[in-house]
Amino acid sequence: MSGAELGLAIVAALDLCFRHGNNLVQLCASVKDARSEIAERVLCIQSHWKRTSFQLGFLQRVWQSLDEEHQILQKQILHVLTGKLTIAVSKIDSLIVGNKPRTPSAKDQRQQLTSVKRWKYALVKEGLDRTIEDLETWQKMFDPSWFLILMTSSPQIDTELRRHHEVSAPSLLNSAQTLRNTLQGIAHQEGSIFLPEDGLRSARIFNIPFSSSKVAQRAGSSKLFVLDPVPCAANGNLQRLTTDVRELARKLVHADPIHFGLLKCHGVVREPTPQGSQQMFFTFVFRTIEGLSVPQSLRASLLAGEANHSLSDRLEIAKDLAKSISFVHTFGFVHKNVRPENILISTDKPSSLGHSFLVGFEAFRTAEGNTLRSGDSAWEKNLYRHPRRQGTRPDDYYIMQHDIYSLGVSLLEVGMWESFVFYRDDGTCVPSPMLGALSENLSKWESVSAKNLLVSLARAVLPKRMGTKYARIVETCLTCLDEGNEDFGDEREFQDADGVLVGVRYIEKARIY
């Protein structure tokens, strides 16, 4: 498709979205005087459409600033929205008007609905609930690409943000402008991101089982914080690490936890190591989310076995995890330590898993920063590392695709909902029997064999539990550096000035439903 054809296609897609969306709101307006439980649903749909229509209008005005691959992605996402809106309009229209000829009068529409028999209200409520769910699902799909638009270096985007700052969706624009400024290094938080060294000494600190992160509660306060330690290696560059910690913290200050899968940073504490050496260690202080449960590690949930959650809950955890790694990379960093011990989950419902948030930044660095190319022999960590990154002296320097491999292992574990690692009472780890021969003789651990086993589980077992699409995504992540992998194999496709192409690649290749 040529550039001109793509432009026309996007214009047509946006036009259809606006047409169907406005029709949907008009239909919903005809039932606003109905029973309260229906009126509440109507207000919810109107609120969703207000946000969506603003974002679509913004996209319509700046789409020429996006590169071709980003435009193709937006076209695909708009196609999904068009389908959802078309179905919603048809469904609600049939419920409200039935087989009678429609009139353009909103008053007539209200009179028609008022005369609907009592039994039909249940169908109307069901139709509205489905529409709300579809709009929320689409918004989750669109949000990552919305943030990527904000990262694009373009005067036109700056102009549009300023033009609508006072008149449209001010809260959405405020957060968008703040995030854009932070990502581009235009504005920094007033004052230092570093907190007083003694800021945590009076706090009550609780362990999070199977995680290096902890929960802290200040004296006299009900607020909880997550503490995430980042030590400086004995042979590390303290100045470089200090800069990296500062830059990541400044970006996470403005993180939206639900959209990013990353907790909002309150600040960073730096102090000498407990051993009294000249080295420093840092502690990210993350805010927890009000209304959600005290965070626990994904590892703890996996070890607990079957719980009262649905397949959809697992998919939400998987999507949150994929988003979090995508944004870490889009911010210009690699994580280097993605595994269930460093994934926290919190929920607002006892019957669901809730949301996941990536922590465990102890080994992170900028994507282009220097690396010591050092590792360890701990099998429980090497299991989540690409074969060429395992052992005390890894073969390769760390790149973004190595995080994608770790994502694949973690998604496999979430899909199977069985822990690959078990902890004894003395803190030592043993492999799950599911790992077969690898669990029988750890002294003969072979990195390639471990990867082959994981790929075979993704191909043979995972489809029966999570479906073929989920299984294919996991396999793609596990084989991301294999020769011939067209999705993630070319490192050059992860290099662009804004970090936007990194995010586009994630949304295209690792989008989960």
Side-chain angles (χ1 to χ4, degrees):
M1 181 180 292
S2 67
E5 291 173 330
L6 180 59
L8 290 174
I10 290 178
V11 170
L14 284 165
D15 182 65
L16 278 175
C17 288
F18 279 121
R19 189 188 313 166
H20 290 312
N22 290 331
N23 285 342
L24 176 64
V25 171
Q26 289 175 7
L27 279 171
C28 289
S30 70
V31 298
K32 67 180 182 180
D33 295 328
R35 296 179 179 181
S36 61
E37 64 266 27
I38 290 182
E40 290 172 3
R41 289 163 169 81
V42 168
L43 287 175
C44 187
I45 290 174
Q46 291 172 333
S47 176
H48 275 298
W49 179 244
K50 182 178 180 180
R51 174 189 174 103
T52 300
S53 61
F54 165 76
Q55 290 176 315
L56 294 180
F58 191 92
L59 173 62
Q60 189 175 45
R61 291 184 292 274
V62 305
W63 76 268
Q64 289 181 321
S65 301
L66 311 180
D67 61 37
E68 182 177 355
E69 191 166 1
H70 200 167
Q71 290 179 352
I72 292 172
L73 172 66
Q74 293 295 348
K75 179 177 176 293
Q76 294 170 345
I77 294 175
L78 290 173
H79 178 72
V80 173
L81 177 60
T82 301
K84 290 183 179 296
L85 290 174
T86 301
I87 294 172
V89 169
S90 176
K91 178 71 173 178
I92 295 177
D93 183 67
S94 66
L95 289 171
I96 291 177
V97 183
N99 296 322
K100 299 179 181 179
R102 283 191 59 204
T103 67
S105 168
K107 179 179 179 181
D108 290 342
Q109 290 177 8
R110 286 194 295 271
Q111 290 174 344
Q112 287 172 347
L113 181 70
T114 303
S115 64
V116 170
K117 293 181 179 179
R118 182 180 300 272
W119 64 266
K120 207 167 186 179
Y121 275 99
L123 296 178
V124 173
K125 285 168 56 179
E126 182 181 342
L128 294 175
D129 284 340
R130 179 60 185 270
T131 299
I132 292 170
E133 181 181 347
D134 283 346
L135 288 175
E136 290 176 345
T137 299
W138 181 84
Q139 191 67 55
K140 290 178 181 179
M141 180 188 300
F142 177 73
D143 276 342
S145 65
W146 165 251
F147 290 115
L148 294 181
I149 292 173
L150 299 178
M151 292 184 64
T152 302
S153 296
S154 167
Q156 186 178 2
I157 293 177
D158 292 320
T159 299
E160 288 298 327
L161 284 172
R162 287 193 298 268
R163 187 164 74 89
H164 290 272
H165 183 74
E166 299 294 336
V167 295
S168 300
S171 61
L172 182 61
L173 275 174
N174 285 339
S175 60
Q177 186 66 69
T178 300
L179 178 62
R180 180 170 174 80
N181 289 344
T182 301
L183 292 172
Q184 294 186 337
I186 296 174
H188 293 304
Q189 172 182 320
E190 293 184 6
S192 174
I193 196 70
F194 292 105
L195 304 173
E197 291 185 10
D198 60 353
L200 298 175
R201 290 177 185 168
S202 62
R204 298 174 60 198
I205 297 180
F206 308 90
N207 290 327
I208 299 177
F210 312 110
S211 175
S212 60
S213 297
K214 301 178 184 296
V215 170
Q217 183 178 27
R218 287 178 174 174
S221 173
S222 61
K223 291 184 178 180
L224 299 178
F225 296 89
V226 170
L227 309 181
D228 194 25
V230 180
C232 181
N235 56 345
N237 185 326
L238 179 59
Q239 183 178 0
R240 177 73 259 178
L241 180 60
T242 302
T243 300
D244 289 349
V245 166
R246 181 190 298 116
E247 292 308 308
L248 178 60
R250 281 175 171 164
K251 290 175 179 177
L252 292 181
V253 161
H254 304 291
D256 182 323
I258 302 300
H259 288 137
F260 284 29
L262 299 167
L263 294 172
K264 186 184 291 289
C265 184
H266 175 66
V268 179
V269 175
R270 55 180 174 182
E271 53 187 324
T273 58
Q275 292 75 21
S277 68
Q278 296 301 311
Q279 288 299 107
M280 300 286 291
F281 76 98
F282 302 86
T283 302
F284 283 105
V285 181
F286 294 118
R287 301 177 186 271
T288 57
I289 302 176
E290 188 174 351
L292 297 188
S293 61
V294 177
Q296 65 172 337
S297 68
L298 177 59
R299 176 66 69 204
S301 294
L302 291 170
L303 288 169
E306 288 298 325
N308 185 24
H309 68 261
S310 66
L311 185 65
S312 297
D313 291 329
R314 292 189 209 172
L315 288 173
E316 288 302 316
I317 293 293
K319 287 189 282 189
D320 286 344
L321 179 55
K323 283 190 302 185
S324 64
I325 298 173
S326 171
F327 279 112
V328 168
H329 288 186
T330 303
F331 288 160
F333 297 92
V334 288
H335 188 274
K336 300 181 67 177
N337 202 13
V338 178
R339 55 196 185 102
E341 284 79 357
N342 294 324
I343 301 165
L344 303 183
I345 57 175
S346 294
T347 182
D348 59 350
K349 300 176 182 177
S351 60
S352 73
L353 290 172
H355 299 279
S356 74
F357 308 98
L358 183 64
V359 292
F361 288 95
E362 61 188 69
F364 90 103
R365 64 167 175 80
T366 56
E368 75 280 0
N370 295 326
T371 178
L372 299 174
R373 211 171 75 176
S374 60
D376 55 61
S377 57
W379 73 267
E380 67 274 14
K381 296 180 180 179
N382 283 319
L383 178 65
Y384 298 89
R385 295 168 179 157
H386 188 271
R388 296 190 63 81
R389 281 294 307 175
Q390 295 185 18
T392 57
R393 193 65 181 171
D395 296 321
D396 292 348
Y397 291 104
Y398 206 95
I399 57 177
M400 289 182 174
Q401 288 95 321
H402 292 138
D403 276 347
I404 296 172
Y405 179 87
S406 302
L407 169 65
V409 183
S410 300
L411 292 181
L412 175 61
E413 212 165 355
V414 169
M416 304 286 286
W417 204 251
E418 294 186 39
S419 180
F420 291 165
V421 179
F422 289 93
Y423 284 80
R424 294 184 174 131
D425 292 339
D426 61 2
T428 59
C429 302
V430 294
S432 164
M434 184 181 297
L435 299 180
L438 295 177
S439 65
E440 297 172 3
N441 193 344
L442 291 176
S443 63
K444 293 184 178 181
W445 177 274
E446 294 182 1
S447 58
V448 175
S449 297
K451 178 197 165 190
N452 290 340
L453 173 62
L454 296 173
V455 171
S456 68
L457 288 173
R459 289 173 177 170
V461 182
L462 191 58
K464 301 172 185 176
R465 302 195 185 187
M466 297 294 288
T468 55
K469 182 175 181 180
Y470 185 98
R472 282 198 302 268
I473 291 172
V474 171
E475 182 179 349
T476 295
C477 292
L478 292 174
T479 59
C480 63
L481 284 171
D482 285 11
E483 186 176 354
N485 184 296
E486 297 178 356
D487 294 330
F488 292 113
D490 189 349
E491 185 180 1
R492 291 171 299 180
E493 293 181 342
F494 285 76
Q495 299 170 352
D496 67 315
D498 304 323
V500 174
L501 190 52
V502 176
V504 172
R505 283 283 163 182
Y506 261 94
I507 297 172
E508 285 182 330
K509 306 303 181 184
R511 186 172 63 211
I512 302 173
Y513 296 88

